[in-house]
Amino acid sequence: MKIFISGIAGFLGSHLADKMISLNHKVSGCDNLIGGYLDNVPNKANFHQVDCNDYSTMVKLTKNIDIVIHCAATAYEGFSVFSPNIVTKNIVGSSVSLISASISNKVKRILYCSSMARYGTNKVPFTEKMPPKPQDPYGIGKVAGEDFLKNLCDVHNVEWVIAVPHNIIGPRQKYDDPYRNVASIMINLMLQNRQPIIYGNGKQKRCFSFIQDDIDILSKLVFSKKANKQIINIGPDEEFVSINDLAKIIGNLLNFKIKPIYKKGRPQEVFLANCSANKARKLFNYKTQCSLKNGLNEMINYIKERGSRPFKYHLDLEIVNKLTPDTWKNKIF
């Protein structure tokens, strides 16, 4: 099959491209390189450096494509409260552009990669039956993208699947980004002999999923008939850890004595967030293969090999006031 992947230079998109190529599919994709690395793109993929908001180009690139996997997103939850324009443009606008172009070219299926941010303040563990309660512009945008997908695909008879990965970690994740990826930020800081920075009291709890565990089930969602018109949580629900504990685990793996620096909490941050994986287990025999500790160790090895890097403040703050984290205002990372 011919498969098109948006965000193919990103963390998730590049791994999915590798998987599809390994299954002997012809893969092409696009990326604007806001959140990815060019060297993430597999050599066998046909790469286009273009933004999904460029509708006319999306129409050209999705011609004769069988399946579209939409990974591209400015996936910045906390940052979206202070830069809602760029985040919304690259969540809602880009999704509608790619969905519309894909449907116009009569693709068979669109797999939309959503976010755990869709659940917001629901009680944990989050299940797919829960109504979305997003708490920030990023989550709101993701849910809007889902609604556009379902509406347009149902009208025009195109199959759709919504995957909900949560807190994916692993090699290829952007680690010099000061706005997201808490584990990557901590590792990059500690490798520079700097202390981890934690927002709030650090008792917020999350589940982290290793990239390969996500790729294995996502590859099933690309093709399975059972996946059509389904929303599927992806990621483990066994290791629910606080951000304080995450810092300790990383410190232990690096033999680094941590003395975290605490900053005021970020507005709209959800305190408890983890998803139930029961639906994925039931429908697709989902199993966690990699523990949190082993996944973090893979990340450490990847970042060590590439070398720690200074953080790049590559996106502008649109709203700067007393609520804006000083880590961003004053470029503390």
Side-chain angles (χ1 to χ4, degrees):
M1 284 190 173
K2 294 180 180 179
I3 297 174
F4 182 84
I5 301 174
S6 69
I8 195 171
F11 174 43
L12 179 59
S14 65
H15 281 282
L16 271 170
D18 276 338
K19 181 68 174 181
M20 294 300 104
I21 290 168
S22 74
L23 295 173
N24 296 317
H25 297 289
K26 188 174 181 180
V27 174
S28 61
C30 69
D31 204 294
N32 61 12
L33 299 181
I34 286 178
Y37 298 124
L38 186 58
D39 62 354
N40 282 348
V41 181
N43 291 330
K44 292 184 179 180
N46 188 9
F47 174 65
H48 305 271
Q49 187 173 338
V50 63
D51 196 297
C52 289
N53 282 293
D54 185 343
Y55 175 73
S56 61
T57 302
M58 291 303 102
V59 172
K60 293 175 184 177
L61 296 182
T62 56
K63 188 175 182 180
N64 298 320
I65 292 295
D66 297 302
I67 295 174
V68 169
I69 305 175
H70 185 34
C71 298
T74 43
Y76 296 88
E77 263 191 274
F79 180 74
S80 72
V81 177
F82 301 100
S83 291
N85 177 56
I86 187 171
V87 171
T88 303
K89 181 178 72 173
N90 287 301
I91 298 292
V92 183
S94 66
S95 295
V96 174
S97 174
L98 180 56
I99 291 166
S100 178
S102 301
I103 291 174
S104 75
N105 280 316
K106 299 180 175 60
V107 303
K108 295 181 177 68
R109 172 175 290 190
I110 301 173
L111 172 61
Y112 178 93
C113 292
S114 189
S115 167
M116 185 168 61
R118 73 191 302 278
Y119 294 112
T121 55
N122 277 290
K123 290 184 178 180
V124 294
F126 304 142
T127 66
E128 293 88 346
K129 291 182 179 180
M130 290 178 173
K133 292 183 180 179
Q135 297 299 295
D136 52 61
Y138 170 69
I140 293 168
K142 275 297 191 181
V143 173
E146 292 181 14
D147 290 341
F148 275 107
L149 177 79
K150 291 183 287 186
N151 182 286
L152 291 169
C153 286
D154 285 347
V155 168
H156 299 287
N157 197 30
V158 172
E159 294 181 359
W160 59 265
V161 184
I162 295 171
V164 188
H166 51 279
N167 291 325
I168 313 174
I169 60 172
R172 299 189 195 170
Q173 189 169 58
K174 194 169 177 66
Y175 61 92
D176 53 1
D177 189 328
Y179 302 119
R180 62 171 179 167
N181 302 332
V182 59
S184 293
I185 287 175
M186 286 182 174
I187 293 168
N188 196 25
L189 284 170
M190 291 186 208
L191 287 175
Q192 296 173 32
N193 201 32
R194 299 169 64 194
Q195 289 294 335
I197 293 175
I198 295 174
Y199 297 105
N201 60 16
K203 294 181 181 179
Q204 311 95 307
K205 297 183 76 175
R206 301 287 186 269
C207 273
F208 295 88
S209 55
F210 186 64
I211 183 63
Q212 197 55 53
D213 285 343
D214 291 70
I215 295 302
D216 289 343
I217 185 170
L218 275 166
S219 63
K220 295 179 181 179
L221 300 188
V222 173
F223 306 108
S224 171
K225 291 182 179 180
K226 290 188 294 184
N228 185 30
K229 297 190 178 183
Q230 294 290 333
I231 299 172
I232 308 288
N233 290 338
I234 296 177
D237 48 19
E238 302 98 340
E239 295 183 89
F240 196 30
V241 300
S242 71
I243 301 303
N244 286 329
D245 287 338
L246 178 70
K248 290 177 184 176
I249 294 169
I250 294 171
N252 288 337
L253 290 171
L254 287 169
N255 294 315
F256 184 86
K257 188 173 182 180
I258 67 164
K259 294 181 181 179
I261 299 168
Y262 289 90
K263 297 289 184 178
K264 68 179 180 180
R266 294 176 296 183
Q268 303 303 99
E269 182 174 11
V270 174
F271 193 71
L272 299 176
N274 78 306
C275 293
S276 166
N278 286 338
K279 186 174 180 179
R281 291 189 185 100
K282 181 179 179 180
L283 292 178
F284 302 103
N285 298 315
Y286 168 77
K287 292 180 181 179
T288 302
Q289 302 294 324
C290 184
S291 68
L292 174 59
K293 189 176 291 186
N294 288 342
L296 290 170
N297 212 37
E298 291 281 341
M299 290 178 72
I300 288 169
N301 292 337
Y302 167 78
I303 296 173
K304 278 184 174 180
E305 184 177 341
R306 290 173 69 93
S308 64
R309 297 180 177 181
F311 291 92
K312 296 179 181 178
Y313 288 79
H314 60 304
L315 297 173
D316 293 330
L317 290 164
E318 296 164 0
I319 301 171
V320 180
N321 56 30
K322 65 181 181 180
L323 297 175
T324 311
D326 63 351
T327 50
W328 301 339
K329 281 192 295 189
N330 301 323
K331 299 182 179 179
I332 290 174
F333 282 118

